[in-house]
Amino acid sequence: MDISGSSALVVGGTGGLGEATTRRLHAAGVKVVVADVADDKGKELVDELGIRYVHTDATSEESVQAAVAEAQSLAPLRISVDCHGGPAAGGRLIGKDGSPLPLDGFKKTIEFYLTAVFNVMRLAAAGIAQSEPGDEGQRGVIVNTSSIAAFEGQIGQLPYSAAKGGVVGMTLVAARDLSPLGIRVNTIAPGTFNTPAYGQAADKLEAYFGPQVPHPKRMGRSSEYAQLVQSIAENDYLNGEVIRLDGALRFPPK
């Protein structure tokens, strides 16, 4: 798929993975709409790159629909990338004091990391479906973000692992659902990535996680996530896949 001249929606586009994706797609000639809640950072990207920013709550139908409409107004919508974050509850299923893991925290984690992904995917798919098909009926691609915690969740990660496992589970089904419309669906499952969100703790995290990665012995870089997004978008035969991006890392129990 030739992505130049099309539009893309990047949900979570002001974060580490999202900003790198925004920059990469913009450089490839894509008209990018960043959908996020970090308004100050969004304005910075608008001023620097000339992209569009829409304040977007990924859990809200109306909010996401407005961002989709903004992307459609620029050019045919062919790419949707969702790498938004949010609160994530943690803790052992039964704590040391014998109390069970609170239900509310589990529900909130599922809402932000699974339900919101479904919300973005369905609305973006409806927008992409309105674009004219290209070669072999290609209309576009949806890229979701899971985590290797979906496969090897660590102690205390049950809510997060459940949500990210749900994203993995949706991938093939969504690809099959959307195949008559010429829309592909793929998911990236990153390992440990060093993003600006860690701030001053980044060096300490690199020193801790880097040696655990078989090769290369470092945390992932946001630019590597963005590079994979572009590759997925341009490779027409890549569909229904969950791609680990982790340097062969496998999480231990803790």
Side-chain angles (χ1 to χ4, degrees):
M1 184 172 73
D2 182 6
I3 64 175
S4 178
S6 62
S7 72
L9 179 68
V10 182
V11 181
T14 68
L17 302 181
E19 181 182 350
T21 300
T22 294
R23 292 181 181 278
R24 179 104 189 184
L25 294 178
H26 174 73
V30 178
K31 300 182 185 302
V32 181
V33 170
V34 169
D36 212 324
V37 294
D39 296 344
D40 289 344
K41 182 62 178 179
K43 185 178 184 303
E44 290 178 9
L45 290 173
V46 169
D47 292 342
E48 179 186 350
L49 302 177
I51 54 95
R52 300 284 182 92
Y53 172 79
V54 179
H55 182 95
T56 306
D57 175 0
T59 67
S60 163
E61 178 171 358
E62 294 77 14
S63 189
V64 174
Q65 186 58 64
V68 170
E70 183 73 13
Q72 289 178 296
S73 73
L74 299 178
L77 177 58
R78 301 203 182 278
I79 303 169
S80 173
V81 183
D82 190 353
C83 48
H84 75 268
R92 290 177 182 261
L93 191 58
I94 300 296
K96 292 181 179 180
D97 61 356
S99 61
L101 192 65
L103 182 59
D104 284 348
F106 181 86
K107 287 181 176 180
K108 288 179 181 178
T109 303
I110 294 297
E111 180 182 14
F112 278 98
Y113 285 98
L114 178 57
T115 305
V117 174
F118 169 76
N119 188 43
V120 171
M121 179 167 59
R122 70 189 184 92
L123 297 173
I128 295 172
Q130 296 174 28
S131 300
E132 288 297 319
D135 294 341
E136 300 182 321
Q138 290 279 354
R139 278 192 169 89
V141 63
I142 293 169
V143 181
N144 291 324
T145 307
S146 180
S147 165
I148 64 171
F151 308 104
E152 306 109 26
Q154 296 182 296
I155 291 170
Q157 279 191 320
L158 195 153
Y160 183 75
S161 293
K164 292 299 188 178
V167 176
V168 168
M170 291 195 298
T171 304
L172 180 59
V173 184
R176 288 171 167 172
D177 279 356
L178 298 176
S179 61
L181 298 170
I183 301 172
R184 296 179 289 116
V185 181
N186 293 285
T187 294
I188 299 174
T192 54
F193 271 66
N194 200 334
T195 69
Y198 292 123
Q200 294 181 346
D203 290 343
K204 291 182 179 179
L205 288 170
E206 183 69 53
Y208 176 76
F209 284 115
Q212 299 180 36
V213 181
H215 181 75
K217 288 194 171 298
R218 58 171 174 78
M219 295 175 73
R221 297 168 181 160
S222 297
S223 60
E224 292 166 326
Y225 173 94
Q227 181 182 3
L228 182 54
V229 168
Q230 182 174 352
S231 296
I232 290 171
E234 293 177 336
N235 191 327
D236 293 346
Y237 211 60
L238 193 52
N239 193 16
E241 281 295 329
V242 178
I243 305 170
R244 295 182 64 125
L245 189 63
D246 58 19
L249 175 65
R250 299 296 181 268
F251 277 152
K254 60 180 179 179

